[in-house]
Structures are given as C-alpha cells and as structure tokens.
Amino acid sequence: MAKRRILAASTAAAVVLVLGACSGGSTGGDDGDGDGPSGTITVLTNRTDIVDTVLQDYVTEFQKTYPDVDVEFEAVTDYEGDVSIRLNSGDYGDVLLIPNTVDADQLSTFFEPLGTVDELGEEYRFIHDKAYEGQVYGLATFGTAMGYVLNKPVWEKAGITEPPATPEEFLDALKAIKDSSPDTVPYYTNYADGWPLTQWQSNQGSIDGPEAVNLRTEQDAPWTEGEEQYAIDSLLFDVVEAGLSEPDPTTTNWEESKNLVGTGQVASMVLGSWAVTQMQDAAEAAGNPREDIGFWPMPWQTDGAFHSTVGADYKLAISKHSENKEAAEAWLYWFLDESGFAASQGGLAPQVGGESPEILADFETFGVEEVEIAPAPEGEENLLADIYNAAEIDLNGDQFRRQYIDVARGAADGDKASFFADLNDRWATARAEVVG
C-alpha cells in the first residue's frame, strides 16, 4: 500500500484520507455512488462486554457515511495473549488494537504506517509509543490517566476521604478498610487474568516524571529503594504480604471484579481511568449510585504534588496483511473521530486539545498533575525492550509480578529482598550486554 497523507479539515468531523496508488487515489468518503471504500473488514476487539451492543450501534452510524463497507467484529477475551500469538500467523483481521507485547522495531512487520510523527502529531496525542523511525503505526482509541479505582463509601467508612500521600499511608488505609469492613477485600490483584497486573507498570513517570523510561535504561538496579521501579513493585508486594488482597489470587476474575467493586465487596484496584465507567455501570446495575466509584492518584508525591501518568489506551492499527486497507482506514478514522467512543468510556480525547472527562474531577480537587512520558531518543526506541528482553523480565507484562505475588503470599520461596536482588542482577547483566 502506497504512503498516505492525512489532511485535517476545518471541522472535527472531517478527516480526509488521501490514498496512494493502490487505491486509485480515492478519498475516504462515500456518497453512495460506489466510488468509495467497499467490502468486508474484520475488526478485533478486547471489548467482549459491548461487542454485541455498542459496537453494533457504531457500525450502523458508520454505514451512513460508508454504506458499502461491512464491519464484522471478533471479540477476544485474552486479547494480549491470543493476539500476540496470532500476529505471526498473519491472520489477525483488518483493524486491531496493537498488543503491548509488540516492540517498536516490530511495528512495520505487522502494521501499516499511518503517517509521520510530525503530521499526525498536529492532530493526535499519545503517538510516540507506537511509532518507529518517524512513522506512526497506531493511534490511541482514547487517553487514560493512571491511579486506582475505589469504592468511595467503603473508604469513607474507614475514615478516609482523601488520597493517601505515601505508600505507608496507603497500606494503613487498606488496613483500616479491613478493620471497618471485614467482609470487603481491601485490594484486588486480578492475578488470574494476568493483564490487569500490567497496569502497575503504566504508573511509571508518576514519580520520576516524563523521562522515567529513558532514566531506567541508565539504571543498573531499578529495584532498589529510592528508585521509581522499586516503589511501584514494592507497594504491590507489601499489599499482598500484609494480607490486604484476596485470599486466593488464583481464583480472581476480571469481569466479576467490576461487580465486586461496584457493590463494595472490593475496595480498590490499580487501573487506568478507562475502568471507572465500567465499575460505575456495575454499581448502577446493582442499584447503587454511580458516584460510589471514584478514581484517585497513586500514593506518592513529588515536590508536594500528586502526579498521574497519562497515556494511550490501546492503539488502533491496520493489519499489514489486510486485503481491504482502504475500508480498514475508513473505519479506523471514523471510529477515532466520529464514534464518540473516547467520551463514552470517560477517556481523554485522543485529539489535540480534547477535554478531560468528568471522572477525573477528583484529580482537579486534589491538584493532581499530569505526566506524559517523553519519547526515547532517536535510535534508542527499542533500548528498554532490548534490556528487559535480555534480562527475561517482562517489565510490561504480568509474569514476574505473578511470581513476586506468589512470594509475598507464601506460595513460593524467598522474600522481597531476595526477589528484587535477583531482578537487579539480571537487569544489570542484560544492560551490560545491550549497552556495552
């Protein structure tokens, strides 16, 4: 497929897709005369909860502009695991969310370039982490802020009405919840599904600021007290070790966890702000006020202020193997710019200048400052991934966190000091190999 160029129209509704030679130079719009995109495309989604409802409504609206394009969805429960495996088969639909397991230098193998960083950066936020060598391969469905979802009445019953400012205060808060509401699980790991554990890593930058990821490539011992990586993983370890999480993490269930938070049977979970509306829906379904569900920043401050890392939720991309890239592109941009999906999920608009969602009202109240991770220097886009891959530490995954949760709950040998020392040793060795 020839290189495309995106022209921004004067209204937010119009993004004209000017296609190269492979599509005969056709525009993305369609007036029903058969000159626009046509055919059937398959869209992979992780949203098993709305695939038969909300997403179908979107198709109805989409076809008012593109009547000759049929959209079929394939909902994938274990999206990260299953789609990561399917990428190597070439059979992964036409439009899909880029799995987090795909490193920067692999993007061009699986996905179509959408435009340059300079071009797309004028219209969209959060473009750097799925870009490589100046080309963007995925655009955010919406932005998300990091922190933790909480059931406010449960926290208020324990006497906590504002966010804890230190890890120690956070642990004390969970202990107070356990004492005041013995039938409530203070913190829920979602260990069994695995992918929710990856949300912890998305808090990088909330202590070290925008250069957090680049700083980590210069560190030989990130799991040392005083370092941001230590703070993130130490807190989860300590929560589990103190018996403040579910009794048996192997039995957790993501879909059920929404109901547990919504009904106050679980007090909190570290997630992105994208999760709030889902928990609110669960609360409402149980007859409780949506306002029961809140979202607070992580329990640490820098220069006297809370910080929340903001970034993209999943990035929407076009398969390199799609046989209908024109129709795929029409869906991708319509979904981003016209569907209203970001607002419906309480997400930050992916467009430059978009508004913050109402669910982040507490962030304004408590003076939470946003942090957006800086891109890696040119030529070092894959440096961090090279280090953690060589160390065999899935920094953005869930396995090593499952391992230390097992240590923390006494299901595996060792303690925090020995586990983190091993991580540091492997990291330092890998960094020496990669950096030289």
Side-chain angles (χ1 to χ4, degrees), residues 33-77:
D33 60 7
D35 292 335
S38 62
T40 300
I41 58 171
T42 298
V43 178
L44 303 191
T45 177
N46 63 336
R47 294 303 301 271
T48 56
D49 54 332
I50 60 173
V51 68
D52 295 323
T53 53
V54 174
L55 295 185
Q56 298 301 327
D57 292 339
Y58 289 160
V59 173
T60 300
E61 291 301 311
F62 170 74
Q63 289 180 327
K64 292 178 181 178
T65 305
Y66 301 99
D68 298 324
V69 179
D70 291 321
V71 181
E72 297 179 351
F73 294 102
E74 182 181 345
V76 184
T77 301

Side-chain angles (χ1 to χ4, degrees), residues 289-306:
R290 297 179 68 85
E291 294 73 21
D292 280 2
I293 308 303
F295 191 72
W296 283 356
M298 293 299 286
W300 40 69
Q301 295 185 334
T302 303
D303 297 329
F306 289 107

Side-chain angles (χ1 to χ4, degrees), residues 302-432:
T302 303
D303 297 329
F306 289 107
H307 292 77
S308 171
T309 303
V310 299
D313 194 65
Y314 272 118
K315 299 290 188 71
L316 205 58
I318 297 172
S319 167
K320 192 83 170 181
H321 301 284
S322 171
E323 296 181 357
N324 199 346
K325 294 186 176 73
E326 184 180 5
E329 192 166 36
W331 170 261
L332 183 148
Y333 285 104
W334 182 91
F335 184 82
L336 294 179
D337 296 325
E338 304 297 332
S339 71
F341 180 73
S344 73
Q345 301 304 303
L348 298 164
Q351 292 82 8
V352 171
E355 295 182 359
S356 294
E358 189 174 335
I359 60 172
L360 293 181
D362 278 350
F363 275 34
E364 183 174 346
T365 300
F366 297 118
V368 181
E369 299 177 6
E370 290 186 357
V371 174
E372 191 165 347
I373 295 297
E378 187 174 353
E380 297 182 9
E381 295 90 344
N382 224 50
L383 180 57
L384 183 67
D386 288 343
I387 295 172
Y388 64 65
N389 285 332
E392 297 184 350
I393 300 170
D394 59 330
L395 192 66
N396 294 320
D398 57 46
Q399 289 306 310
F400 90 97
R401 289 189 171 88
R402 280 177 165 172
Q403 291 167 2
Y404 72 65
I405 285 174
D406 286 342
V407 172
R409 68 191 182 95
D413 293 336
D415 55 22
K416 183 167 68 174
S418 62
F419 194 92
F420 283 11
D422 178 64
L423 290 174
N424 281 331
D425 288 345
R426 289 154 57 191
W427 187 271
T429 300
R431 184 174 176 276

